[in-house]
């Protein structure tokens, strides 16, 4: 099996002015593609070549000798999940079961938004902020570099990429502004609800 770069769920200009087509040309067309290419080269002619992306991530997580495979497999997964975590005319307060569960588990939308923005802004260096389901409860967490909830027994519902390459072309060094725009204009709560429903 050869991994392929999945098509974007919308046109590369669909999130403008919040995320530019130029950002997608690099972030999707170059960075995400490179992770796919690297992963294919690393698993070629090994037993992992027949496994799913999720199986690879889980089987090599924590294995220092396979860090390169983990990093590339996780980054393929993370980016596909990130594109789907956004949509044109997204953002704002959640609806459905996720909205109710944010009220129950996190003390309401405003507290969620504050915790999520804080997680993304305070992730030192590269990484991700997430809304996850952990032991039946919602949590806001952050991970470093390629690390992801799947490696920690958690189910991801939403993510934002806070690596510099995610925002530098559109926001330069203003990571907090990028995260606020993500929350106000881009979050795809339908995707979060679908992930919660199948968890
Ligand atoms: Mn990225």
């Amino acid at each position: 099996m050869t991994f392929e770069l999945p098509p974007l769920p919308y046109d590369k200009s669909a999130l403008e002015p919040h995320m530019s087509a130029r950002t997608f040309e690099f972030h999707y067309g170059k960075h995400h593609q490179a992770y796919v290419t690297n992963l294919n080269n690393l698993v070629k002619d090994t037993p992992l070549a027949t496994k799913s992306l999720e199986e690879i991530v889980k089987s090599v997580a924590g294995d220092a000798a396979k860090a390169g495979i983990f990093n590339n497999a996780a980054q393929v997964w993370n980016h596909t999940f990130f594109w789907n975590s956004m949509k044109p005319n997204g953002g704002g307060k959640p609806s459905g079961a996720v909205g109710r569960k944010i009220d129950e588990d996190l003390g309401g939308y405003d507290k969620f938004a504050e915790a999520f923005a804080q997680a993304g802004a305070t992730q030192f260096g590269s990484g991700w902020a997430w809304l996850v389901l952990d032991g039946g409860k919602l949590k806001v967490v952050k991970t470093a570099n390629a690390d992801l909830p799947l490696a920690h027994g958690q189910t991801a519902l939403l993510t934002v990429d806070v690596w510099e390459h995610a925002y530098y072309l559109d926001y330069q060094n203003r990571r907090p502004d990028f995260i606020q725009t993500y929350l106000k204009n881009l979050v795809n709560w339908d995707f979060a609800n679908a992930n919660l429903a199948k968890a």
Side-chain angles (χ1 to χ4, degrees), residues 7-40:
L8 282 174
Y10 35 70
D11 186 83
K12 69 181 191 293
S13 62
L15 303 187
E16 290 188 341
H18 310 298
M19 190 175 287
S20 65
R22 188 165 164 77
T23 284
F24 276 101
E25 281 162 15
F26 283 88
H27 197 182
Y28 170 73
K30 306 289 185 192
H31 290 274
H32 196 180
Q33 177 66 66
Y35 296 127
V36 171
T37 302
N38 292 343
L39 178 62
N40 282 323

Side-chain angles (χ1 to χ4, degrees), residues 27 75 79 128 161 163 165:
H27 197 182
Q75 286 291 77
H79 284 88
W128 303 79
D161 185 342
W163 287 56
H165 67 222

Side-chain angles (χ1 to χ4, degrees), residues 67-148:
I69 295 172
F70 175 80
N71 286 336
N72 285 283
Q75 286 291 77
V76 171
W77 194 95
N78 290 343
H79 284 88
T80 302
F81 196 83
F82 176 47
W83 311 136
N84 283 284
S85 292
M86 301 182 288
K87 68 173 188 177
N89 303 310
K93 294 193 177 177
S95 54
V98 167
R100 291 192 295 275
K101 210 159 165 51
I102 282 176
D103 290 343
E104 287 166 18
D105 296 346
L106 300 176
Y109 174 77
D110 290 347
K111 285 192 173 160
F112 154 76
E114 191 183 332
F116 191 87
Q118 176 82 356
T122 60
Q123 170 53 42
F124 186 77
S126 297
W128 303 79
W130 306 84
L131 176 65
V132 302
L133 188 68
D134 185 356
K137 296 270 190 194
L138 295 189
K139 282 184 190 167
V140 171
V141 298
K142 56 186 175 181
T143 60
N145 301 316
D147 197 16
L148 72 176

